[in-house]
Amino acid sequence: MTAIAPAELRRTGIFRTVLREHKTAVAGLVILGFFVVLAIVSPYLAPYSITERSCAVFEPPSAHHWLGCDDGGVDMLSLLMRGGQTSLVVGFAATLVAMLLGGTVGILSGYFGGWVDAVLMRITDVLLVLPDLVLAMVIAAVWGPSLFHVILVIGLLEWTTTARIVRAEVMSLRERAYVKRARGLGASNTRVIVRHILPQAGPLLIANTVLTVSVAIYLETALAFLGLEDPSVTTWGTILEHAFARTAISSGAWWAIVPDGFVIAAVSIGCFLLGRAIEDALNPRLKVSHLSGRRWRVRVLAGRGADAR
């Protein structure tokens, strides 16, 4: 597969070009889009209520209950649909917090440099080396079990990687001729950032945002599994926590655990495929990495014999 030229990216649009050139991006977008649409329509398509008993305790999958029932006799398919709505809201909301905070820190640090860069990056480095899950557990335990607290905790912990990536890109952009020309003509720093820096760094920021969604959903699941989330809210994490706490394993009720783990893994894979494809298109150095979805073939060197490699 041929590399995507920068001119082509600008002419046709980065996302349209990525979807055309990267099959993995299409697969990731389809997976992610499916769960987003399912979460939106879940209040209307859920076959049963999640607050009322509709079958026996740990009833196995059947024609009436495709994914069986949990320990309270609640249909698992309905639980997964409604839980996905909350989990995706938490994931996207926490990612939005991380994107805004990390993007702001990265742009200010990369554009101004000097003491601004030194101060912001030292703060970023301190938070970057701290274990996310352990720190999230401590903060969530101090603040108390709340969905809003979980969103803030995840958002405040996941902005560091975004800040580092955006800073590196902005440091390169500020040395471009058109940026220096705009500053030489008297454009203010705000105008240069808004008109020239942000549009160029935006696609890379979005790529990292898509990748961060999967991390946010994972952290939400982990915090809920550890009992640090509001137990009255139904999420993919609380479904797992309730299944483990209420003897689903010892009862052999695999349907109370496996489908939930599968949808969490599927959303994470979808975010990974889409985010990596965008990042790969924006960063040519990633095209030779072992993670790249591109396939390369050995070509004969020009000016050598037919057996040359």
Side-chain angles (χ1 to χ4, degrees):
M1 187 179 294
T2 58
I4 305 175
E8 184 182 357
L9 289 177
R10 291 192 299 267
R11 183 174 62 252
T12 61
I14 173 66
F15 298 108
R16 190 176 6 171
T17 304
V18 168
L19 291 176
R20 186 176 67 248
E21 298 291 339
H22 292 258
K23 303 304 180 184
T24 56
V26 178
L29 183 62
V30 169
I31 295 173
L32 190 58
F34 169 77
F35 284 102
V36 170
V37 172
L38 189 64
I40 294 174
V41 302
S42 62
Y44 311 102
L45 292 184
Y48 298 95
S49 171
I50 64 172
T51 58
E52 299 178 359
R53 182 172 178 173
S54 59
C55 52
V57 174
F58 287 138
E59 180 177 321
S62 62
H64 297 287
H65 302 278
W66 292 356
L67 297 180
C69 300
D70 68 353
D71 64 288
V74 179
D75 181 66
M76 280 299 302
L77 179 59
S78 302
L79 274 176
L80 289 178
M81 293 175 66
R82 298 301 296 271
Q85 186 180 45
T86 307
S87 291
L88 288 175
V89 168
V90 171
F92 283 110
T95 301
L96 179 62
V97 175
M99 181 186 68
L100 293 176
L101 185 57
T104 301
V105 171
I107 290 175
L108 295 178
S109 178
Y111 182 78
F112 291 104
W115 68 268
V116 176
D117 180 42
V119 172
L120 293 178
M121 284 302 101
R122 295 302 74 77
I123 297 175
T124 303
D125 291 339
V126 170
L127 293 177
L128 196 60
V129 299
L130 294 176
D132 289 349
L133 184 56
V134 175
L135 189 58
M137 290 169 55
V138 174
I139 297 176
V142 172
W143 284 0
S146 168
L147 204 61
F148 179 72
H149 291 165
V150 169
I151 293 174
L152 284 182
V153 167
I154 298 174
L156 293 176
L157 290 178
E158 293 304 314
W159 64 268
T160 52
T161 303
T162 302
R164 300 286 295 189
I165 294 174
V166 173
R167 169 183 176 267
E169 180 69 11
V170 173
M171 290 179 68
S172 173
L173 292 172
R174 72 179 183 182
E175 301 300 327
R176 304 287 175 87
Y178 61 87
V179 174
K180 291 184 176 181
R181 187 180 302 114
R183 296 173 65 180
L185 293 174
S188 64
N189 291 326
T190 302
R191 181 176 178 82
V192 171
I193 291 174
V194 174
R195 293 294 299 273
H196 302 291
I197 299 294
L198 190 57
Q200 296 297 321
L204 185 62
L205 181 60
I206 293 175
N208 190 70
T209 298
V210 175
L211 293 171
T212 306
V213 171
S214 62
V215 179
I217 293 177
Y218 159 75
L219 286 177
E220 181 275 325
T221 303
L223 292 175
F225 183 77
L226 295 172
L228 298 175
E229 190 173 278
D230 187 354
S232 63
V233 178
T234 301
T235 68
W236 288 335
T238 56
I239 293 174
L240 278 180
E241 192 271 332
H242 291 162
F244 275 90
R246 299 171 184 175
T247 68
I249 295 180
S250 60
S251 301
W254 58 265
W255 52 87
I257 300 173
V258 174
D260 193 24
F262 174 79
V263 295
I264 295 172
V267 171
S268 299
I269 292 173
C271 293
F272 176 83
L273 293 177
L274 181 59
R276 282 298 180 189
I278 300 174
E279 191 177 49
D280 182 56
L282 293 171
N283 190 348
R285 289 174 296 181
L286 297 178
K287 293 182 174 62
V288 296
S289 69
H290 68 284
L291 293 176
S292 175
R294 301 177 178 276
R295 298 182 179 271
W296 299 91
R297 60 186 178 89
V298 178
R299 297 183 178 181
V300 178
L301 296 177
R304 303 291 182 87
D307 296 331
R309 288 289 186 268

